[in-house]
Amino acid sequence: MISKIYTIALVGLQGELVEVEVDIRPGLFRFNIVGLPDKAVTESRERVASAITNSGFAMPNKKITVNLAPAELIKTGSSYDLPIAVGILAATKQITPPPSSDIIWGELSLNGDTRDTTGALAVADSLLRLNRNTFILPVINAQEAGIIEGIKLIPTKNLAMIVDHYAGKTNIIWTRNSEKYKSPETYSYDFKNIVGQEEAKRVLEIAAAGGHNVLLTGSPGSGKTYLARGLPSIMPRLSYEEVIDVSKIYSISGLLKKGELVATRPFRSPHHTSSKVSIVGGGSFPKPGEVTLAHRGILFMDEFNEFDSKTLEALRQPIEDKVVNISRVAGAMCYPANFMLIAALNPCKCGYLDDDSNDCICSSFEIEKYKRKISGPIIDRIDLQLNIKRVDNDKLINLSLAESSSDIRARVEKARGVQLSRYQSLGYRGVYSNSDLTNTLITKNTKLSMGSKELLRSSMDALKLSARSYFRVLKVARTIADLASDVQIQEQHIAEALSYRLELGN
């Protein structure tokens, strides 16, 4: 007797339909799973056998073959327990065979109860694309999956509930949470508490408005870290589409709180001893790294040049392409990585180069060696570069509140609204800010005055700007113009954008 159950395998963030075929034939007991299963899937044989027996059903003492098709797709994780168990019960006629429109997914405990399984939100989001409308899953994951509209959820506490459901003995009712998500109004860090540093706050406002990368240099205690940690408080709120996008990443990573979405822009701050794999992703079975966990948010890398050089060079592709491609023997994955890079570093090894209060003790050779830790191609990919000076002691002593983050955020959201409206009207999919534009699109959407054209032309020669730097200057100038509510990029917009590339050169 052969039964067919359908489930979903996650390939990156995208779900692929998997057919679970169960064949039971006479012979000595043997339980085989084929179709490129990993160790977690292979171990489901023991979990499924115990779950079926301890739920009061009969485990057939025959030759059992489970085929997970398509065979070329590597199957990972414990979510195949539930469909395999249902397939065995259907093949032995202990359960009414589920319709092909039903997706069954989840892990089982030895007593037949369902367990928490990562990735429910990403799986639920894939159902409609795969022309499926019913999702049977562990009850603990229902709140998470219920965020996706347009699908029917059947949450189950154990294997017996599924049997009763298909026998028509129970009517499982799921009440969808109507409250989609909340974005907080208060943050731990607020720009009103940052004394001085007006130029740095201006740079971060531009970065937030256009989604640009920033490099902050300055001596210890100049406020680089505080400024970076205050950036989320002026970032525009996530749209609902972005919320789902980010939450799916945290769902497959097992970092999503049950029943909650990631409603604020991620802020990831890995230590400088972090490995290349932890930053860009990877492993035997590729998993998201920090660049993906920071998608639609901020990746803050303090002590930037203390990171391993190979790790820094690995950032080139995700910064440029907004995705990270990971290839391993187990398979190739493409994860989104559209983040804002905020890098901070000291100007030299001792940290006091050009400091007004302390003398630098580094030799010219040490200073040059220190700067060479960061390659030119990485610097070239950072839109805004600024050297921060210490705040005068008089300003610190005579503390007065500055402009609040909420006021700055209002300007940022207005500029983002202009960008979003512009690019949606042109039919650009996936473009939420100026930083998302390709070189072709920024050329099409850039209106330069005569003065700004001449300034840009002369500056390219004088500063020896690369082609990449040229387009990044245009993107920053476009953002500055949006903050000023100017349709056309003016000379002063180009001048300001260029001034933020002078600190470290190109």
Side-chain angles (χ1 to χ4, degrees), residues 1 19 64 143 151 268 350 498:
M1 176 68 181
E19 187 179 82
I64 304 171
Q143 191 94 359
I151 61 173
R268 305 294 299 183
C350 76
L498 286 167

Side-chain angles (χ1 to χ4, degrees), residues 178-251:
S178 59
E179 188 176 7
K180 293 181 178 179
Y181 68 98
K182 285 184 178 180
S183 183
E185 297 296 330
T186 58
Y187 292 83
S188 301
Y189 296 83
D190 195 296
F191 274 28
K192 69 181 179 182
N193 298 319
I194 301 177
V195 179
Q197 304 294 11
E198 299 306 324
E199 188 178 19
K201 287 188 278 189
R202 169 64 175 173
V203 165
L204 293 182
E205 180 179 339
I206 295 169
H212 304 292
N213 302 320
V214 181
L215 176 61
L216 301 174
T217 64
S219 56
S222 58
K224 302 184 298 295
T225 301
Y226 197 102
L227 283 162
R229 292 192 177 278
L231 183 56
S233 66
I234 67 170
M235 292 284 286
R237 294 172 178 83
L238 288 169
S239 67
Y240 184 64
E241 291 74 19
E242 289 176 310
V243 167
I244 295 297
D245 221 16
V246 175
S247 297
K248 285 196 296 183
I249 295 169
Y250 280 71
S251 175

Side-chain angles (χ1 to χ4, degrees), residues 403-436:
E403 187 178 25
S404 69
S405 291
S406 59
D407 292 338
I408 300 174
R409 172 186 267 186
R411 295 195 297 268
V412 168
E413 290 188 328
K414 182 179 179 182
R416 280 286 183 110
V418 169
Q419 295 166 44
L420 189 60
S421 176
R422 179 196 302 137
Y423 302 132
Q424 283 185 342
S425 66
L426 294 171
Y428 297 164
R429 296 186 62 184
V431 178
Y432 295 90
S433 63
N434 291 326
S435 66
D436 293 333

Side-chain angles (χ1 to χ4, degrees), residues 484-502:
S485 300
D486 286 335
V487 175
Q488 190 177 55
I489 296 177
Q490 303 296 333
E491 189 174 350
Q492 65 268 25
H493 304 144
I494 294 290
E496 186 176 1
L498 286 167
S499 72
Y500 300 131
R501 296 196 71 84
L502 301 181

Side-chain angles (χ1 to χ4, degrees), residues 217-222 224 303 345-356 358-362 367 370 387-388 390:
T217 64
S219 56
S222 58
K224 302 184 298 295
E303 307 296 342
L345 73 161
N346 297 326
C348 65
K349 190 172 183 179
C350 76
Y352 295 110
L353 181 66
D354 297 329
D355 188 79
D356 298 331
N358 299 277
D359 295 328
C360 175
I361 61 173
C362 301
I367 293 172
Y370 186 81
N387 187 15
I388 300 175
R390 285 172 175 269

